[in-house]
Every structure is written in structure tokens, then in C-alpha cells.
Amino acid sequence: MKTIFIDRDGCVNVRLVGNWVMTWDDFEFMPGAIEGIALLKKAGYRLILVTNQRCINLGKFSLDGLNNLHSQMQDELKSEGGFFDKIYHCPHDRHENCGCRKPQAGMLLQAAKDFDDIDLRNSIMLGDQESDRLAAKAAEVGCFYQISHNQTIADAAKIILSSK
Ligand SMILES: [Mg+2]
Ligand SMILES: [Zn+2]
């Protein structure tokens, strides 16, 4: 199944300057995110969230808290027709040298192990940071779209769907 990897902070929700998004009150969807995710899901794509959350291993945020936040996000997305098929997070801090913190490719490679029909070269990644682009490149994901307030997930979705 054709798969799209999507970064969270700065793509799905607005990034908080100087802090992590740890409560539903602080979780503000980016413009075009809910719509774009619904468009891609209705078009039959598998959508996989890949997010660095070093707040976990820093002890700032619990895994339960992160899971709760993501289930609220999923509920909101589902009410508009979209959802993520799977969510991967990297809990590690920068110095831990894990293989999963973007720009490393670990979360994408793990997804390719977990879903045996993922073809990374034919997959797509949406991200707002250079580390997203580099992770996609390291995993040999074929296509990357930069997301910003000016090119939202909905904008990228329209390009992807029109070039199918
Ligand atoms: Mg981001
Ligand atoms: Zn990691």
C-alpha cells in the first residue's frame, strides 16, 4: 500500500516555541492538516506519523501522556475522515545516539519491517525540518514535501493526488 510518512510538530500541529506540546490545550492543528490528512486517507494512502519526542527521556512528559495526546489527535482527525494508521515516536535525547531520532532513518525502517508492503522508494515524506528531509533521504524514501504555513498538508495532498 502506498505510504506517506508525516512529521508531527510543524506539520500536523503548530510548534510551540521553546516548549513541547504536552496538553490538548496546547495542541493546535496547523492550517490544512485535518483536511489534508482526510484527503490522503480517503484516497487510500497508509499514513504513518513519525515524531521526535525527546521530552520523554528528559523526564518532562510521560509515555502515557504522549499516548493520550495522540489518541485525542486521532479522535479529532477521525471525526473529519482521516487518521494515522500507526504512530512512531523517538523518546531519545540527542546524545543517546539512538537510530530512530530523525535525521536518523530508524522509525521509517521500523515501519518498513512492520508493514511488509511498504516500498520506501515509492513512499512519500512530509516534514517541516531539514532533519525530516534527511531521515527520508537516509531511508531512501522517494519523495519529500516541505510543510509550512505556506504549504500545508492539504496543499501537499492536492499535489500528490493530482500527480497520481
Ligand atoms: Mg517538525
Ligand atoms: Zn530514538
Side-chain angles (χ1 to χ4, degrees):
M1 185 189 285
K2 190 120 183 190
T3 299
I4 304 180
F5 297 96
I6 304 180
D7 168 55
R8 200 195 79 183
D9 298 308
C11 294
V12 177
N13 59 279
V14 176
R15 293 174 68 195
L16 277 186
V17 176
N19 202 358
W20 294 280
V21 173
M22 296 185 285
T23 66
W24 188 239
D25 276 351
D26 283 339
F27 194 100
E28 180 190 347
F29 279 101
M30 284 280 284
I34 293 174
E35 176 198 354
I37 289 164
L39 279 171
L40 293 170
K41 180 42 74 185
K42 287 170 185 166
Y45 285 91
R46 174 189 288 127
L47 304 181
I48 295 182
L49 189 74
V50 286
T51 180
N52 285 353
Q53 294 297 332
R54 67 190 183 94
C55 51
I56 300 291
N57 276 16
L58 285 172
K60 305 279 186 193
F61 196 29
S62 71
L63 185 54
D64 278 353
L66 183 67
N67 288 335
N68 282 336
L69 187 67
H70 286 164
S71 84
Q72 285 177 285
M73 174 191 74
Q74 291 276 59
D75 287 347
E76 194 71 24
L77 291 172
K78 280 176 190 164
S79 72
E80 301 292 333
F83 62 92
F84 288 102
D85 296 275
K86 182 123 182 175
I87 295 173
Y88 294 92
H89 75 276
C90 164
H92 306 107
D93 199 358
R94 295 173 180 130
H95 65 270
E96 294 186 72
N97 295 320
C98 68
C100 49
R101 183 176 166 81
K102 295 173 288 181
Q104 308 294 319
M107 290 189 279
L108 290 78
L109 299 178
Q110 185 61 48
K113 281 185 194 162
D114 293 343
F115 296 91
D116 58 15
D117 62 344
I118 288 184
D119 173 1
L120 288 167
R121 283 184 183 280
N122 273 314
S123 299
I124 296 167
M125 170 115 189
L126 311 182
D128 69 316
Q129 302 275 308
E130 184 63 11
S131 56
D132 298 313
R133 183 188 297 278
L134 292 172
K137 189 174 176 209
E140 300 188 352
V141 166
C143 186
F144 179 84
Y145 291 96
Q146 172 111 33
I147 299 302
S148 67
H149 277 89
N150 298 322
Q151 178 166 273
T152 67
I153 296 177
D155 296 326
K158 285 164 195 166
I159 297 169
I160 290 165
L161 297 181
S162 69
S163 61
K164 259 215 302 196

